Amino acid sequence: MNNWPEGWSDENRGSGGYGHGSASARPDGARVMRQVRRGSAAPSGGQAAPPYGVPPQPSYVDGQGHDGYDSGYNTGQVYGSPPGGGGGGGMREPGPAPDWRRRIKWTAITVVTVLVVTTVGTYFWADSKLNREVDLSKVIDRPEAGEGTNYLIVGSDSRAGMSAEEKKKLHTGSAEGKRTDSMMILHTGGNGPTLISLPRDSDVEIPTFVGSESGKTYPGKGRHVKLNAAYAEDGPELLVRTVEFNTGLHIDHYVEIGFAGFANIVDAVGGVEMEIPKGGIKDSKSGADLEEGKQTLNGEEALAFVRTRYALAGSDLDRTKNQQKFLAALANQAATPGTVLNPFKLYPTMSAGLDTLIVDKDMGLFDLASMFWAMKGVTGGEGKSMNMPISGSSGGNLVWDKAKVKTLVEQLNNDEKVTVSGN
């Protein structure tokens, strides 16, 4: 029985052949399959068996020279996409690369614009909050201005706007009106800042002056009083007139702050670190109860610290030194990046200060910033702090050393390095 496929016979696998199963020692030869010509028409009279018994192959020609079967490779079409290259499954042309230079440019423009608008808005907001109440044009017979800028900085005991609870908490009492609790001259110039405290008990002469409210001229009669009495008599204008008359130094700007404003500024910056001297400070009149060592004072503690004098050996002279140290430390704290760059600290600090500051009519924000920056310089060792030189006392008043005061004023007017020492 012949089990070979149709068209094959035993002759095809003769013993002399080289097909599979041959007993010959020679290797199998390559089988050659004749090519099937796609598209050839079948001969007439029926379908002839292909050579070597290959089954007949169907024709794929459509009569127009094209195959009826599309393999999917001849047109570039990807399987799964409809003709024409559309559809979500096909390959898409890559989009244009992002223009990063353009994006960075517009981002920078946006950031700069926001910063400018914020800065301008903050400037006008802060400028509108300044209380320009002091008119230095009312001060008569003023000395000529020298080199640099001189600020008269006053801490008053004003209780304006304070509730009964706040007065009790801050140990301010309930006295009507206001008096000067501290006075300092800050000189700024090319040789660093100089901070000079004027003790409130300084013996001074009240000169001829024009009343700030009445406009009347009050002639000087050579009467001597404590310096803080000049403020109590006719306010800031007479205080400036008295300081200029007794020193010969021209005052360019006036800055005043009350009890409540001082405490609020300290709280707004998060407190101020101070070194309390050995033995601590305890004073029932100011409310101070501070242990020795380095510590951060809040608004209430800070106010008690700068007001204390009865618990100090040098009384008012020691108090002015503590005031200088604290104000310089406060300015330094207010100028730190943690305050300036933090809007949650900056704006409350500015608001607390500007709401309670009283300045002269010519004071601008840049002048105020320059003053605080100079105060910071005193803390950083770039300047000098001192008391007005004292030669003795008379009737309970502190008498200035006239010779030293004259030298000091000359050095300040010429913006020279201060060599005079104070008490």
Side-chain angles (χ1 to χ4, degrees):
M1 179 182 293
N2 184 359
N3 293 324
W4 294 97
E6 182 182 358
W8 288 78
S9 66
D10 289 340
E11 294 179 354
N12 294 115
R13 56 181 292 264
S15 60
Y18 303 102
H20 291 284
S22 171
S24 172
R26 289 182 296 176
D28 291 345
R31 284 187 294 166
V32 179
M33 180 181 290
R34 294 186 179 180
Q35 294 181 347
V36 178
R37 183 178 180 182
R38 297 174 65 185
S40 59
S44 58
Q47 183 177 11
Y52 302 102
V54 177
Q57 301 294 318
S59 172
Y60 301 105
V61 179
D62 59 4
Q64 297 180 359
H66 298 92
D67 291 343
Y69 168 76
D70 189 349
S71 65
Y73 294 96
N74 59 345
T75 64
Q77 178 181 333
V78 179
Y79 289 116
S81 66
M91 298 291 290
R92 295 185 178 181
E93 290 289 333
D99 189 347
W100 290 108
R101 294 180 63 183
R102 181 181 178 84
R103 291 187 181 184
I104 293 173
K105 171 185 174 182
W106 282 107
T107 300
I109 291 175
T110 301
V111 171
V112 170
T113 301
V114 170
L115 287 176
V116 169
V117 171
T118 302
T119 301
V120 172
T122 299
Y123 175 86
F124 284 105
W125 166 78
D127 188 71
S128 67
K129 295 178 76 66
L130 274 179
N131 300 308
R132 297 183 174 92
E133 299 178 6
V134 180
D135 188 357
L136 295 182
S137 67
K138 295 179 180 180
V139 180
I140 63 173
D141 300 332
R142 309 191 67 187
E144 292 185 7
E147 299 294 328
T149 304
N150 298 313
Y151 299 85
L152 181 59
I153 304 172
V154 174
S156 76
D157 64 358
S158 172
R159 299 157 178 83
M162 296 177 64
S163 65
E165 183 179 350
E166 289 174 326
K167 292 176 183 178
K168 182 178 179 180
K169 177 182 178 182
L170 298 177
H171 299 271
T172 64
S174 300
E176 294 297 326
K178 58 181 181 179
R179 286 150 293 278
T180 53
D181 214 47
S182 61
M183 290 157 284
M184 301 178 188
I185 294 175
L186 174 66
H187 173 84
T188 63
N191 282 289
T194 302
L195 185 61
I196 309 161
S197 285
L198 309 176
R200 57 179 285 173
D201 294 337
S202 296
D203 185 86
V204 294
E205 180 182 343
I206 299 293
T208 299
F209 68 96
V210 174
S212 59
E213 297 294 334
S214 66
K216 295 174 57 176
T217 299
Y218 298 88
K221 298 179 180 179
R223 59 191 176 98
H224 283 246
V225 297
K226 292 181 179 181
L227 182 57
N228 66 335
Y231 181 95
E233 186 172 334
D234 197 49
E237 287 85 357
L238 179 55
L239 178 62
V240 171
R241 168 73 174 125
T242 303
V243 170
E244 290 187 340
F245 177 81
N246 286 269
T247 63
L249 190 67
H250 181 89
I251 300 299
D252 298 291
H253 292 294
Y254 178 91
V255 181
E256 177 187 326
I257 187 169
F259 282 162
F262 180 84
N264 289 340
I265 292 176
V266 174
D267 286 334
V269 299
V272 177
E273 187 177 78
M274 289 296 295
E275 181 77 34
I276 304 302
K278 188 175 181 179
I281 298 176
K282 192 174 183 66
D283 184 4
S284 59
K285 293 186 178 295
S286 68
D289 187 7
L290 306 172
E291 297 181 356
E292 65 178 81
K294 186 175 291 186
Q295 55 195 280
T296 299
L297 306 183
N298 61 26
E300 178 184 348
E301 295 167 333
L303 183 60
F305 175 73
V306 299
R307 293 183 61 216
T308 296
R309 64 169 175 161
Y310 295 105
L312 305 176
S315 188
D316 200 35
L317 290 177
D318 283 350
R319 178 171 73 164
T320 56
K321 294 176 182 178
N322 284 341
Q323 290 171 345
Q324 288 178 347
K325 292 177 183 177
F326 188 86
L327 288 180
L330 174 59
N332 185 67
Q333 176 69 20
T336 59
T339 300
V340 176
L341 300 180
N342 184 353
F344 297 102
K345 271 193 174 184
L346 176 62
Y347 286 97
T349 300
M350 293 178 65
S351 181
L354 296 173
D355 279 343
T356 55
L357 282 180
I358 296 175
V359 299
D360 64 272
K361 294 184 179 296
D362 294 326
M363 173 73 86
L365 286 178
F366 289 109
D367 298 311
L368 194 60
S370 177
M371 184 194 77
F372 273 98
W373 192 259
M375 293 284 289
K376 180 179 182 293
V378 173
T379 302
E382 300 172 4
K384 180 173 183 173
S385 60
M386 58 182 286
N387 275 326
M388 186 65 80
I390 303 296
S391 62
S393 63
S394 175
N397 295 352
L398 298 174
V399 179
W400 294 352
D401 187 322
K402 293 183 179 180
K404 285 187 176 182
V405 170
K406 181 179 179 182
T407 302
L408 172 63
V409 171
E410 287 178 352
Q411 291 176 341
L412 294 177
N413 276 331
N414 296 326
D415 197 22
E416 300 172 350
K417 186 175 180 63
V418 174
T419 60
V420 178
S421 60
N423 298 77

